[in-house]
Amino acid sequence: MKRFNKVLLAAFALVLMTSGSLVQAAVPNDPVQWGFKKGQNEKPAEAGKEREKLLEKYGAVYRGDPNKKNIYLTFDNGYENGFTDQILDVLKKEKVPATFFVTGHYLESAEDLVIRMVQEGHIVGNHSYYHPDLTKVDDARVKRELDRVKDLTYELTGQKDMSYLRPPRGVFSERTMKLAKDAGYTHVMWSLAFVDWNTDQQKGWEYSYNNIMKQIHPGAILLLHTVSKDNADALEKVIKDLKKQGYTFKSLDDLFADGAFDDPMLH
């Protein structure tokens, strides 16, 4: 019986080889909820070796070089709450680039703001169309989610390339990272954030300002939500004060240009 099983397995392997097929293990789909040890006193945030290793494998990032006083400003835009114009006004005045990760709902309900983002030199990134947990939907659905955002952004703004993805809810897996990379996307996580999205629990501009300033560190990828009045009211002072401290605001394209992303702490 054992001999029969060995012969059967050998024959099955031969059929696969001669047909040009290979048996490959499925890419793991264990969900990872993004998290990290917050930065403080200008020391960088740390996501831990396991998360960092997975990000590095797929060319993803959550911070820039901790030895360079650069900041990468990003916003998540799920829906409009009346503050994005104010934020864009500040960015224009201070000549600061940003990346706005948008959903399908935002594209359909705030067309003029998305157009303004691109016209004023900002990057529009992909936050998926319906904002699902991508680890819980099949491969085809993941592709549709990303394609619809990319296509609609192009129709509205003429932005041809969409290279950056921020997974909804900060949840991803090795499978979703591979799918995204195969589709031409780089996962962009973050190294500085705080609870700013509860619109009925805004605490005043100082709350936003203080949370940013106490966590700031060289190479920070800063995540803010545009629905927050606190963020909109604090942004100009944050930018001005960080510039006084020697920080430079750069775009995600700068982070990746000419090998600019090189975090020695990850090697």
PDB file of all heavy atoms in Angstrom, residues 23-51:
ATOM      1  N   VAL A  23       3.206  23.280  -8.031  1.00  0.00           N
ATOM      2  CA  VAL A  23       2.395  23.412  -6.837  1.00  0.00           C
ATOM      3  C   VAL A  23       3.065  24.443  -5.925  1.00  0.00           C
ATOM      4  O   VAL A  23       4.212  24.277  -5.555  1.00  0.00           O
ATOM      5  CB  VAL A  23       2.268  22.062  -6.106  1.00  0.00           C
ATOM      6  CG1 VAL A  23       1.484  22.243  -4.821  1.00  0.00           C
ATOM      7  CG2 VAL A  23       1.607  21.044  -7.003  1.00  0.00           C
ATOM      8  N   GLN A  24       2.388  25.506  -5.614  1.00  0.00           N
ATOM      9  CA  GLN A  24       2.932  26.539  -4.764  1.00  0.00           C
ATOM     10  C   GLN A  24       2.044  26.740  -3.537  1.00  0.00           C
ATOM     11  O   GLN A  24       0.825  26.685  -3.634  1.00  0.00           O
ATOM     12  CB  GLN A  24       3.043  27.858  -5.535  1.00  0.00           C
ATOM     13  CG  GLN A  24       3.982  27.787  -6.726  1.00  0.00           C
ATOM     14  CD  GLN A  24       4.073  29.127  -7.437  1.00  0.00           C
ATOM     15  OE1 GLN A  24       3.277  30.020  -7.200  1.00  0.00           O
ATOM     16  NE2 GLN A  24       5.058  29.250  -8.301  1.00  0.00           N
ATOM     17  N   ALA A  25       2.692  26.961  -2.436  1.00  0.00           N
ATOM     18  CA  ALA A  25       1.933  27.218  -1.216  1.00  0.00           C
ATOM     19  C   ALA A  25       1.208  28.548  -1.351  1.00  0.00           C
ATOM     20  O   ALA A  25       1.722  29.498  -1.937  1.00  0.00           O
ATOM     21  CB  ALA A  25       2.875  27.240  -0.022  1.00  0.00           C
ATOM     22  N   ALA A  26       0.013  28.614  -0.822  1.00  0.00           N
ATOM     23  CA  ALA A  26      -0.757  29.852  -0.880  1.00  0.00           C
ATOM     24  C   ALA A  26      -0.053  30.935  -0.060  1.00  0.00           C
ATOM     25  O   ALA A  26       0.566  30.657   0.964  1.00  0.00           O
ATOM     26  CB  ALA A  26      -2.155  29.615  -0.345  1.00  0.00           C
ATOM     27  N   VAL A  27      -0.141  32.174  -0.523  1.00  0.00           N
ATOM     28  CA  VAL A  27       0.444  33.286   0.220  1.00  0.00           C
ATOM     29  C   VAL A  27      -0.398  33.499   1.480  1.00  0.00           C
ATOM     30  O   VAL A  27      -1.628  33.577   1.398  1.00  0.00           O
ATOM     31  CB  VAL A  27       0.451  34.569  -0.643  1.00  0.00           C
ATOM     32  CG1 VAL A  27       1.031  35.730   0.154  1.00  0.00           C
ATOM     33  CG2 VAL A  27       1.238  34.332  -1.923  1.00  0.00           C
ATOM     34  N   PRO A  28       0.221  33.592   2.631  1.00  0.00           N
ATOM     35  CA  PRO A  28      -0.537  33.732   3.888  1.00  0.00           C
ATOM     36  C   PRO A  28      -1.463  34.943   3.879  1.00  0.00           C
ATOM     37  O   PRO A  28      -1.107  36.012   3.369  1.00  0.00           O
ATOM     38  CB  PRO A  28       0.564  33.893   4.942  1.00  0.00           C
ATOM     39  CG  PRO A  28       1.770  33.253   4.331  1.00  0.00           C
ATOM     40  CD  PRO A  28       1.668  33.512   2.865  1.00  0.00           C
ATOM     41  N   ASN A  29      -2.649  34.753   4.444  1.00  0.00           N
ATOM     42  CA  ASN A  29      -3.629  35.836   4.495  1.00  0.00           C
ATOM     43  C   ASN A  29      -3.972  36.207   5.931  1.00  0.00           C
ATOM     44  O   ASN A  29      -5.029  36.764   6.208  1.00  0.00           O
ATOM     45  CB  ASN A  29      -4.901  35.434   3.732  1.00  0.00           C
ATOM     46  CG  ASN A  29      -5.820  36.614   3.502  1.00  0.00           C
ATOM     47  OD1 ASN A  29      -5.387  37.688   3.111  1.00  0.00           O
ATOM     48  ND2 ASN A  29      -7.111  36.414   3.751  1.00  0.00           N
ATOM     49  N   ASP A  30      -3.063  35.909   6.848  1.00  0.00           N
ATOM     50  CA  ASP A  30      -3.294  36.273   8.244  1.00  0.00           C
ATOM     51  C   ASP A  30      -3.338  37.794   8.382  1.00  0.00           C
ATOM     52  O   ASP A  30      -2.375  38.482   8.006  1.00  0.00           O
ATOM     53  CB  ASP A  30      -2.172  35.720   9.127  1.00  0.00           C
ATOM     54  CG  ASP A  30      -2.039  34.208   9.014  1.00  0.00           C
ATOM     55  OD1 ASP A  30      -3.094  33.545   8.987  1.00  0.00           O
ATOM     56  OD2 ASP A  30      -0.909  33.712   8.918  1.00  0.00           O
ATOM     57  N   PRO A  31      -4.423  38.352   8.889  1.00  0.00           N
ATOM     58  CA  PRO A  31      -4.536  39.809   8.962  1.00  0.00           C
ATOM     59  C   PRO A  31      -3.550  40.416   9.955  1.00  0.00           C
ATOM     60  O   PRO A  31      -3.310  39.875  11.033  1.00  0.00           O
ATOM     61  CB  PRO A  31      -5.982  40.030   9.414  1.00  0.00           C
ATOM     62  CG  PRO A  31      -6.383  38.761  10.082  1.00  0.00           C
ATOM     63  CD  PRO A  31      -5.632  37.669   9.390  1.00  0.00           C
ATOM     64  N   VAL A  32      -2.981  41.531   9.558  1.00  0.00           N
ATOM     65  CA  VAL A  32      -2.080  42.301  10.415  1.00  0.00           C
ATOM     66  C   VAL A  32      -2.715  43.660  10.650  1.00  0.00           C
ATOM     67  O   VAL A  32      -3.009  44.387   9.706  1.00  0.00           O
ATOM     68  CB  VAL A  32      -0.701  42.488   9.759  1.00  0.00           C
ATOM     69  CG1 VAL A  32       0.196  43.349  10.655  1.00  0.00           C
ATOM     70  CG2 VAL A  32      -0.054  41.138   9.471  1.00  0.00           C
ATOM     71  N   GLN A  33      -2.956  43.983  11.901  1.00  0.00           N
ATOM     72  CA  GLN A  33      -3.473  45.310  12.255  1.00  0.00           C
ATOM     73  C   GLN A  33      -2.289  46.216  12.521  1.00  0.00           C
ATOM     74  O   GLN A  33      -1.461  45.934  13.389  1.00  0.00           O
ATOM     75  CB  GLN A  33      -4.364  45.229  13.493  1.00  0.00           C
ATOM     76  CG  GLN A  33      -4.860  46.576  13.996  1.00  0.00           C
ATOM     77  CD  GLN A  33      -5.824  47.243  13.026  1.00  0.00           C
ATOM     78  OE1 GLN A  33      -6.884  46.693  12.716  1.00  0.00           O
ATOM     79  NE2 GLN A  33      -5.458  48.425  12.555  1.00  0.00           N
ATOM     80  N   TRP A  34      -2.166  47.293  11.743  1.00  0.00           N
ATOM     81  CA  TRP A  34      -1.002  48.154  11.873  1.00  0.00           C
ATOM     82  C   TRP A  34      -0.931  48.786  13.258  1.00  0.00           C
ATOM     83  O   TRP A  34      -1.932  49.225  13.823  1.00  0.00           O
ATOM     84  CB  TRP A  34      -1.028  49.255  10.825  1.00  0.00           C
ATOM     85  CG  TRP A  34       0.205  50.109  10.865  1.00  0.00           C
ATOM     86  CD1 TRP A  34       0.298  51.427  11.162  1.00  0.00           C
ATOM     87  CD2 TRP A  34       1.546  49.655  10.628  1.00  0.00           C
ATOM     88  NE1 TRP A  34       1.601  51.853  11.121  1.00  0.00           N
ATOM     89  CE2 TRP A  34       2.401  50.767  10.800  1.00  0.00           C
ATOM     90  CE3 TRP A  34       2.104  48.421  10.297  1.00  0.00           C
ATOM     91  CZ2 TRP A  34       3.777  50.690  10.644  1.00  0.00           C
ATOM     92  CZ3 TRP A  34       3.477  48.332  10.142  1.00  0.00           C
ATOM     93  CH2 TRP A  34       4.292  49.456  10.308  1.00  0.00           C
ATOM     94  N   GLY A  35       0.267  48.811  13.793  1.00  0.00           N
ATOM     95  CA  GLY A  35       0.508  49.414  15.088  1.00  0.00           C
ATOM     96  C   GLY A  35       2.003  49.582  15.305  1.00  0.00           C
ATOM     97  O   GLY A  35       2.818  48.956  14.607  1.00  0.00           O
ATOM     98  N   PHE A  36       2.387  50.420  16.252  1.00  0.00           N
ATOM     99  CA  PHE A  36       3.803  50.673  16.489  1.00  0.00           C
ATOM    100  C   PHE A  36       3.985  51.350  17.845  1.00  0.00           C
ATOM    101  O   PHE A  36       3.022  51.879  18.433  1.00  0.00           O
ATOM    102  CB  PHE A  36       4.390  51.578  15.393  1.00  0.00           C
ATOM    103  CG  PHE A  36       3.592  52.825  15.139  1.00  0.00           C
ATOM    104  CD1 PHE A  36       3.794  53.977  15.898  1.00  0.00           C
ATOM    105  CD2 PHE A  36       2.626  52.841  14.147  1.00  0.00           C
ATOM    106  CE1 PHE A  36       3.049  55.115  15.674  1.00  0.00           C
ATOM    107  CE2 PHE A  36       1.873  53.987  13.913  1.00  0.00           C
ATOM    108  CZ  PHE A  36       2.085  55.125  14.681  1.00  0.00           C
ATOM    109  N   LYS A  37       5.211  51.337  18.321  1.00  0.00           N
ATOM    110  CA  LYS A  37       5.572  52.085  19.512  1.00  0.00           C
ATOM    111  C   LYS A  37       5.798  53.525  19.096  1.00  0.00           C
ATOM    112  O   LYS A  37       6.617  53.813  18.214  1.00  0.00           O
ATOM    113  CB  LYS A  37       6.845  51.507  20.135  1.00  0.00           C
ATOM    114  CG  LYS A  37       7.299  52.237  21.385  1.00  0.00           C
ATOM    115  CD  LYS A  37       8.590  51.633  21.934  1.00  0.00           C
ATOM    116  CE  LYS A  37       9.080  52.405  23.152  1.00  0.00           C
ATOM    117  NZ  LYS A  37      10.357  51.840  23.671  1.00  0.00           N
ATOM    118  N   LYS A  38       5.071  54.434  19.691  1.00  0.00           N
ATOM    119  CA  LYS A  38       5.115  55.831  19.256  1.00  0.00           C
ATOM    120  C   LYS A  38       6.496  56.446  19.441  1.00  0.00           C
ATOM    121  O   LYS A  38       7.228  56.126  20.375  1.00  0.00           O
ATOM    122  CB  LYS A  38       4.085  56.652  20.031  1.00  0.00           C
ATOM    123  CG  LYS A  38       2.649  56.308  19.704  1.00  0.00           C
ATOM    124  CD  LYS A  38       1.678  57.183  20.486  1.00  0.00           C
ATOM    125  CE  LYS A  38       0.238  56.861  20.134  1.00  0.00           C
ATOM    126  NZ  LYS A  38      -0.724  57.729  20.863  1.00  0.00           N
ATOM    127  N   GLY A  39       6.831  57.344  18.527  1.00  0.00           N
ATOM    128  CA  GLY A  39       8.061  58.097  18.667  1.00  0.00           C
ATOM    129  C   GLY A  39       7.915  59.158  19.745  1.00  0.00           C
ATOM    130  O   GLY A  39       6.809  59.605  20.047  1.00  0.00           O
ATOM    131  N   GLN A  40       9.035  59.558  20.308  1.00  0.00           N
ATOM    132  CA  GLN A  40       9.033  60.638  21.293  1.00  0.00           C
ATOM    133  C   GLN A  40      10.434  61.202  21.404  1.00  0.00           C
ATOM    134  O   GLN A  40      11.419  60.510  21.143  1.00  0.00           O
ATOM    135  CB  GLN A  40       8.559  60.143  22.662  1.00  0.00           C
ATOM    136  CG  GLN A  40       9.379  59.019  23.247  1.00  0.00           C
ATOM    137  CD  GLN A  40       8.854  58.567  24.597  1.00  0.00           C
ATOM    138  OE1 GLN A  40       8.129  59.289  25.268  1.00  0.00           O
ATOM    139  NE2 GLN A  40       9.218  57.362  25.008  1.00  0.00           N
ATOM    140  N   ASN A  41      10.513  62.480  21.761  1.00  0.00           N
ATOM    141  CA  ASN A  41      11.806  63.162  21.878  1.00  0.00           C
ATOM    142  C   ASN A  41      12.634  63.002  20.602  1.00  0.00           C
ATOM    143  O   ASN A  41      13.844  62.833  20.644  1.00  0.00           O
ATOM    144  CB  ASN A  41      12.594  62.638  23.089  1.00  0.00           C
ATOM    145  CG  ASN A  41      11.856  62.854  24.390  1.00  0.00           C
ATOM    146  OD1 ASN A  41      11.238  63.891  24.603  1.00  0.00           O
ATOM    147  ND2 ASN A  41      11.898  61.859  25.278  1.00  0.00           N
ATOM    148  N   GLU A  42      11.938  63.057  19.464  1.00  0.00           N
ATOM    149  CA  GLU A  42      12.540  62.951  18.128  1.00  0.00           C
ATOM    150  C   GLU A  42      13.179  61.584  17.846  1.00  0.00           C
ATOM    151  O   GLU A  42      13.911  61.430  16.873  1.00  0.00           O
ATOM    152  CB  GLU A  42      13.539  64.075  17.876  1.00  0.00           C
ATOM    153  CG  GLU A  42      12.893  65.453  17.852  1.00  0.00           C
ATOM    154  CD  GLU A  42      13.784  66.508  17.262  1.00  0.00           C
ATOM    155  OE1 GLU A  42      14.807  66.834  17.896  1.00  0.00           O
ATOM    156  OE2 GLU A  42      13.458  67.006  16.176  1.00  0.00           O
ATOM    157  N   LYS A  43      12.871  60.603  18.669  1.00  0.00           N
ATOM    158  CA  LYS A  43      13.276  59.236  18.360  1.00  0.00           C
ATOM    159  C   LYS A  43      12.175  58.592  17.525  1.00  0.00           C
ATOM    160  O   LYS A  43      10.986  58.802  17.790  1.00  0.00           O
ATOM    161  CB  LYS A  43      13.512  58.439  19.651  1.00  0.00           C
ATOM    162  CG  LYS A  43      14.695  58.919  20.461  1.00  0.00           C
ATOM    163  CD  LYS A  43      14.909  58.058  21.696  1.00  0.00           C
ATOM    164  CE  LYS A  43      16.116  58.545  22.495  1.00  0.00           C
ATOM    165  NZ  LYS A  43      16.318  57.714  23.718  1.00  0.00           N
ATOM    166  N   PRO A  44      12.542  57.807  16.507  1.00  0.00           N
ATOM    167  CA  PRO A  44      11.530  57.286  15.575  1.00  0.00           C
ATOM    168  C   PRO A  44      10.610  56.253  16.191  1.00  0.00           C
ATOM    169  O   PRO A  44      10.970  55.561  17.156  1.00  0.00           O
ATOM    170  CB  PRO A  44      12.380  56.642  14.463  1.00  0.00           C
ATOM    171  CG  PRO A  44      13.668  56.306  15.126  1.00  0.00           C
ATOM    172  CD  PRO A  44      13.906  57.402  16.137  1.00  0.00           C
ATOM    173  N   ALA A  45       9.413  56.179  15.627  1.00  0.00           N
ATOM    174  CA  ALA A  45       8.490  55.117  16.002  1.00  0.00           C
ATOM    175  C   ALA A  45       9.071  53.775  15.576  1.00  0.00           C
ATOM    176  O   ALA A  45       9.886  53.695  14.657  1.00  0.00           O
ATOM    177  CB  ALA A  45       7.146  55.347  15.318  1.00  0.00           C
ATOM    178  N   GLU A  46       8.632  52.699  16.233  1.00  0.00           N
ATOM    179  CA  GLU A  46       9.129  51.363  15.915  1.00  0.00           C
ATOM    180  C   GLU A  46       7.961  50.396  15.820  1.00  0.00           C
ATOM    181  O   GLU A  46       7.186  50.254  16.769  1.00  0.00           O
ATOM    182  CB  GLU A  46      10.126  50.896  16.973  1.00  0.00           C
ATOM    183  CG  GLU A  46      11.398  51.734  17.036  1.00  0.00           C
ATOM    184  CD  GLU A  46      12.393  51.211  18.054  1.00  0.00           C
ATOM    185  OE1 GLU A  46      12.112  50.155  18.670  1.00  0.00           O
ATOM    186  OE2 GLU A  46      13.446  51.846  18.231  1.00  0.00           O
ATOM    187  N   ALA A  47       7.853  49.731  14.671  1.00  0.00           N
ATOM    188  CA  ALA A  47       6.751  48.798  14.442  1.00  0.00           C
ATOM    189  C   ALA A  47       7.103  47.373  14.852  1.00  0.00           C
ATOM    190  O   ALA A  47       6.216  46.512  14.879  1.00  0.00           O
ATOM    191  CB  ALA A  47       6.342  48.825  12.972  1.00  0.00           C
ATOM    192  N   GLY A  48       8.363  47.117  15.150  1.00  0.00           N
ATOM    193  CA  GLY A  48       8.778  45.770  15.539  1.00  0.00           C
ATOM    194  C   GLY A  48       9.323  44.999  14.355  1.00  0.00           C
ATOM    195  O   GLY A  48       8.946  45.224  13.201  1.00  0.00           O
ATOM    196  N   LYS A  49      10.208  44.067  14.634  1.00  0.00           N
ATOM    197  CA  LYS A  49      10.920  43.349  13.570  1.00  0.00           C
ATOM    198  C   LYS A  49       9.993  42.576  12.646  1.00  0.00           C
ATOM    199  O   LYS A  49      10.210  42.512  11.435  1.00  0.00           O
ATOM    200  CB  LYS A  49      11.953  42.402  14.188  1.00  0.00           C
ATOM    201  CG  LYS A  49      13.115  43.120  14.857  1.00  0.00           C
ATOM    202  CD  LYS A  49      14.143  42.135  15.381  1.00  0.00           C
ATOM    203  CE  LYS A  49      15.325  42.870  16.008  1.00  0.00           C
ATOM    204  NZ  LYS A  49      16.348  41.922  16.552  1.00  0.00           N
ATOM    205  N   GLU A  50       8.955  41.943  13.210  1.00  0.00           N
ATOM    206  CA  GLU A  50       8.071  41.116  12.383  1.00  0.00           C
ATOM    207  C   GLU A  50       7.338  41.959  11.345  1.00  0.00           C
ATOM    208  O   GLU A  50       7.306  41.612  10.157  1.00  0.00           O
ATOM    209  CB  GLU A  50       7.064  40.365  13.265  1.00  0.00           C
ATOM    210  CG  GLU A  50       6.221  39.362  12.501  1.00  0.00           C
ATOM    211  CD  GLU A  50       5.350  38.531  13.425  1.00  0.00           C
ATOM    212  OE1 GLU A  50       5.635  38.473  14.646  1.00  0.00           O
ATOM    213  OE2 GLU A  50       4.384  37.929  12.921  1.00  0.00           O
ATOM    214  N   ARG A  51       6.751  43.061  11.777  1.00  0.00           N
ATOM    215  CA  ARG A  51       6.051  43.931  10.835  1.00  0.00           C
ATOM    216  C   ARG A  51       7.023  44.567   9.844  1.00  0.00           C
ATOM    217  O   ARG A  51       6.749  44.656   8.643  1.00  0.00           O
ATOM    218  CB  ARG A  51       5.281  45.025  11.580  1.00  0.00           C
ATOM    219  CG  ARG A  51       4.023  44.542  12.304  1.00  0.00           C
ATOM    220  CD  ARG A  51       3.208  45.732  12.772  1.00  0.00           C
ATOM    221  NE  ARG A  51       1.976  45.328  13.446  1.00  0.00           N
ATOM    222  CZ  ARG A  51       1.817  45.277  14.753  1.00  0.00           C
ATOM    223  NH1 ARG A  51       2.845  45.570  15.535  1.00  0.00           N
ATOM    224  NH2 ARG A  51       0.675  44.926  15.291  1.00  0.00           N
TER     225      ARG A  51
END
